[in-house]
Amino acid sequence: MPYSGSIDFVGREADLLELHQRLQSDRPLVISAIAGMGGIGKTELALHYAYEQLPLYPGGICWLRSTEMMAIDIVLFAEKFHRVLPNQDSEGVQRVHDCWQKWPDLATLVVIDNAPSYAEIASILPPVRSQFKVLLTSRSRFEPPVDNYEIKVLSLEAALKLLRGLLQDQRIDRELPQAEKICDYLGYLPLALELVGRYLQKRPDLSLGSFWELLQEQGIQAAALQKQQQMNGVMTAKLGVIAAFELSWQGLSAEARLLAAFLSIFALAEIPWVLVERCLAELPLAGLAAGDVEGLAELRDLELWAGNLLDRQRQGVYELHQLLREFFALKLAELPAREEFISSFAQGLTNQAKTVEQIVVVAEQPLLLQVSPHWAIATNFPEYLPDDDKAWCCTALARLHENLSQFSDAELWYRRSLAISEEQLGANHPDTSTSLNNLAELYRGTGRYVEAESLYVRSLAIKEEQLGANHPSTATSLNNLAALYESTGRYVEAEPLHVRSLAIREEQLGANHPDTATSLNNLAALYESTGRYVEAEPLYVRSLAIAEEQLGGNHPSIATSLNNLAGLYKSTGRYVEAEPLYVRSLAIAEEQLGGN
């Protein structure tokens, strides 16, 4: 067996136990495989199991490297340890079979390290006899009859323990927060942790804070993540991180390589696969036609997932290890189609963002929360999008956070939307006006009236100048500025704006449009606030009727209209009429928006 360079083998106790239990099955021939991405410690785990359980295998442990010499090595092992020779007239694989048949009746462990496909090793495996146990290590997942055991990255506790074993100068505990950040950045990958630990051994005066900055600057290409010549014979692993990943990369088809490179654009977060399909709907990958959903799934499952280059979190949701993501990003940078890939990513995420309404109902929130990290990445690429789309991902993020009452995050994204619009489109563009309006709405909703007013006034001025006095977008700005005046008790200033907004919407959008219903509701609310109940009631009733007809009985806007009409009835002492409206409004709101 090869030399194990592990100073302190940590975090694999449960794996060793599980592996032992699987190999001790009473089946006639047990074939188990330790599967996982490059650098995760498959060979090290197999070595430790073999050394630990050596007494269980009096027939020996036959350790084979996945090379053309495996058949010869088995024959040499049989001759050296059991004085077994193949028949003189046998050749090739038959010589191996002769040795297996003559093998003494002793429990034997056969290990094939870095095994390729099952088909490539099946011919030299031992016969179906209970004395033989076969352990494979591989980057790939095997199909039956192999029992796959996939190992994961280390825990934070195990990762820190590994570094402490390599660095015995108290640096880990002196700079524990920095050590934890380093472990997290490395994705708790054993190979990366060991390489970093051995690098820091040679740099006793390098603080973890300084090393963290170095790692942030150089990423996966940092010298600390490459194996140095002097580590040969000291480490079990033969390669650095990039070289280990390169082996897996070389085994991929051209289409799978393009898909892997494309996935590196996504955020370091769970990736709903529907997003990948949306982004690649019009972009071919080498021999794979654009929009070939089944072809994409095959590349994902049969190459990336099967090769442990992509983690499947659950149905339809996948994730890249952070170092693999960086590696794939390096490959993306070399592609002639890089710009086209980024453009498709940005447009695909933007198309998803444009489906997010002002009110985000509970049923939509889980998916939108999954998508949100990827929208954040897409906001870095406004130059790849047409003018009308440049700020949509920011708007979707702001709306989502606002609906979750995360107002500081919502403000950040509304401000980012405004900055993109001003930078990319100019200070007087209609989309800049929309961004101003959205930020003002947030400020009004959180009581920051002084800040909101100046934004509303500027937004309205741009729309009147660029779109005209009777444009529906102008009506929106009029409506929102009026709402601000109403919130601050400036009813005289608010009323003509509401009246004008309603007139524009009725003329431009029609008497039964949902936006017309909104203006009716808001003008009614103004009348109610000033005690003009007789004028308010028919507007509330008409607004509710339009909303029910156009939006359906359970839309959140229906809850608002019901609540407002009920409030009017309450104000005028019509409690019997108010109560069922309040009850229905509450039921819709709880169902669509959630209890909080």
Side-chain angles (χ1 to χ4, degrees):
M1 293 189 294
Y3 165 75
S4 170
S6 174
I7 291 177
D8 191 4
F9 189 62
V10 298
R12 296 298 190 199
E13 295 79 10
D15 293 314
L16 285 170
L17 179 61
E18 176 67 22
L19 194 59
H20 177 63
Q21 291 173 344
R22 292 185 181 213
L23 284 169
Q24 295 313 302
S25 166
D26 56 4
R27 285 175 292 163
L29 175 64
V30 179
I31 308 176
S32 288
I34 304 171
M37 62 184 287
I40 206 161
K42 302 178 292 293
T43 298
E44 194 72 66
L45 180 61
L47 269 175
H48 276 266
Y49 172 78
Y51 280 118
E52 189 176 283
Q53 302 299 337
L54 191 57
L56 283 180
Y57 300 105
I61 295 176
C62 182
W63 188 284
L64 305 169
R65 292 166 182 81
S66 180
T67 67
E68 297 175 357
M69 299 294 291
M70 281 192 294
I72 296 173
D73 287 342
I74 292 169
V75 173
L76 291 174
F77 186 97
E79 179 181 359
K80 180 176 180 180
F81 289 100
H82 297 300
R83 303 190 184 283
V84 167
L85 293 173
N87 298 331
Q88 289 186 350
D89 58 347
S90 62
E91 296 181 355
V93 173
Q94 185 58 47
R95 290 169 58 81
V96 176
H97 292 172
D98 289 346
C99 291
W100 290 137
Q101 294 300 330
K102 296 178 180 180
W103 207 274
D105 190 18
L106 298 170
T108 302
L109 177 65
V110 179
V111 182
I112 302 179
D113 189 26
N114 197 25
S117 68
Y118 181 75
E120 293 180 63
I121 61 172
S123 62
I124 57 94
L125 292 177
V128 180
R129 281 164 42 189
S130 59
Q131 74 185 87
F132 292 113
K133 312 289 183 182
V134 178
L135 177 59
L136 313 175
T137 73
S138 179
R139 287 178 167 82
S140 301
R141 294 176 174 88
F142 291 104
E143 298 177 357
V146 179
D147 175 27
N148 286 292
Y149 180 58
E150 186 177 348
I151 59 173
K152 303 294 185 181
V153 296
L154 297 177
S155 66
L156 173 60
E157 180 183 6
L160 291 172
K161 188 174 181 182
L162 173 58
L163 289 178
R164 286 190 185 100
L166 291 164
L167 298 176
Q168 299 181 3
D169 55 8
Q170 306 304 312
R171 258 186 291 180
I172 299 301
D173 292 308
R174 278 202 312 268
E175 299 183 71
L176 188 58
Q178 287 74 21
E180 291 178 349
K181 285 198 293 186
I182 290 168
C183 291
D184 183 64
Y185 173 78
L186 298 176
Y188 310 101
L189 186 69
L191 173 60
L193 290 162
E194 184 175 3
L195 287 167
V196 163
R198 293 187 183 279
Y199 177 84
L200 291 170
Q201 271 182 340
K202 299 178 177 63
R203 302 286 306 277
D205 292 330
L206 180 62
S207 71
L208 297 189
S210 297
F211 178 70
W212 168 250
E213 293 176 4
L214 189 68
L215 202 55
Q216 292 297 289
E217 180 183 334
Q218 299 179 352
I220 196 174
Q221 295 178 297
L225 294 175
Q226 317 312 317
K227 188 174 179 188
Q228 308 301 318
Q229 184 68 31
Q230 60 268 31
M231 294 181 187
N232 291 335
V234 177
M235 287 180 63
T236 305
K238 303 289 191 294
L239 303 170
V241 172
I242 289 181
F245 292 166
E246 187 69 37
L247 284 179
S248 297
W249 177 264
Q250 293 302 324
L252 297 175
S253 66
E255 292 83 359
R257 290 182 186 181
L258 291 175
L259 177 57
F262 181 75
L263 291 176
S264 73
I265 309 173
F266 286 80
L268 185 60
E270 292 184 343
I271 304 172
W273 197 253
V274 293
L275 277 187
V276 181
E277 294 171 349
R278 181 187 287 268
C279 292
L280 292 176
E282 299 181 12
L283 182 67
L285 297 176
L288 187 70
D292 185 350
V293 172
E294 180 57 29
L296 276 179
E298 287 187 358
L299 292 177
R300 177 196 69 201
D301 296 341
L302 304 183
E303 296 202 53
L304 300 186
W305 179 76
N308 282 292
L309 295 171
L310 185 66
D311 284 335
R312 180 180 181 272
Q313 300 300 308
R314 56 190 173 281
Q315 181 71 36
V317 179
Y318 295 80
E319 190 169 6
L320 285 173
H321 185 276
Q322 47 259 61
L323 294 182
L324 273 172
R325 178 175 176 261
E326 281 199 39
F327 175 77
F328 292 151
L330 293 178
K331 297 298 184 181
L332 175 68
E334 299 170 357
L335 292 178
R338 175 182 176 274
E339 301 292 311
E340 192 177 2
F341 275 25
I342 293 174
S343 177
S344 292
F345 169 83
Q347 191 62 66
L349 267 294
T350 297
N351 291 341
Q352 180 80 24
K354 290 160 79 171
T355 67
V356 180
E357 300 289 344
Q358 189 70 50
I359 298 174
V360 179
V361 298
V362 169
E364 296 173 350
Q365 289 176 10
L367 175 61
L368 299 188
L369 285 168
Q370 277 189 343
V371 176
S372 61
H374 310 295
W375 279 329
I377 295 293
T379 63
N380 296 319
F381 305 121
E383 66 272 21
Y384 291 89
L385 296 166
D387 287 355
D388 291 346
D389 288 351
K390 290 184 183 299
W392 256 110
C393 287
C394 294
T395 300
L397 285 162
R399 286 180 175 178
L400 176 60
H401 287 296
E402 189 172 6
N403 276 268
L404 295 172
S405 299
Q406 298 167 352
F407 300 119
S408 60
D409 289 328
E411 180 182 1
L412 182 153
W413 289 113
Y414 278 137
R415 283 187 170 278
R416 173 81 172 128
S417 172
L418 177 58
I420 289 174
S421 296
E422 289 182 318
E423 179 183 328
Q424 298 281 321
L425 306 173
N428 291 316
H429 193 277
D431 285 356
T432 300
S433 171
T434 299
S435 293
L436 287 163
N437 176 81
N438 291 342
L439 182 57
E441 280 283 272
L442 177 70
Y443 287 160
R444 180 175 68 86
T446 52
R448 297 163 66 176
Y449 303 126
V450 174
E451 294 169 272
E453 183 172 357
S454 61
L455 301 181
Y456 278 137
V457 169
R458 183 180 160 202
S459 174
L460 176 59
I462 294 171
K463 285 183 177 176
E464 287 184 313
E465 177 187 336
Q466 298 294 323
L467 302 176
N470 291 316
H471 194 277
S473 289
T474 302
T476 299
S477 285
L478 289 164
N479 176 83
N480 295 346
L481 180 57
L484 174 72
Y485 289 157
E486 189 177 348
S487 297
T488 55
R490 296 156 67 181
Y491 303 118
V492 173
E493 294 171 85
E495 184 173 353
L497 301 185
H498 275 314
V499 170
R500 186 180 157 202
S501 174
L502 174 59
I504 294 171
R505 283 173 167 172
E506 285 185 311
E507 178 187 337
Q508 299 294 325
L509 303 176
N512 291 317
H513 193 277
D515 286 355
T516 301
T518 298
S519 280
L520 288 164
N521 176 84
N522 294 346
L523 181 56
L526 174 69
Y527 289 159
E528 182 184 359
S529 297
T530 55
R532 296 155 68 181
Y533 302 125
V534 174
E535 294 172 86
E537 184 175 353
L539 301 186
Y540 274 141
V541 170
R542 185 180 157 202
S543 174
L544 175 60
I546 295 170
E548 288 185 310
E549 178 187 337
Q550 299 294 323
L551 303 175
N554 288 318
H555 192 278
S557 291
I558 307 296
T560 300
S561 289
L562 288 164
N563 179 81
N564 292 349
L565 181 56
L568 176 71
Y569 290 158
K570 174 176 172 285
S571 297
T572 54
R574 296 157 67 181
Y575 304 124
V576 174
E577 294 171 86
E579 183 175 358
L581 302 185
Y582 274 137
V583 170
R584 186 179 159 206
S585 173
L586 175 60
I588 295 171
E590 287 188 314
E591 178 188 338
Q592 298 295 319
L593 304 176
N596 291 315

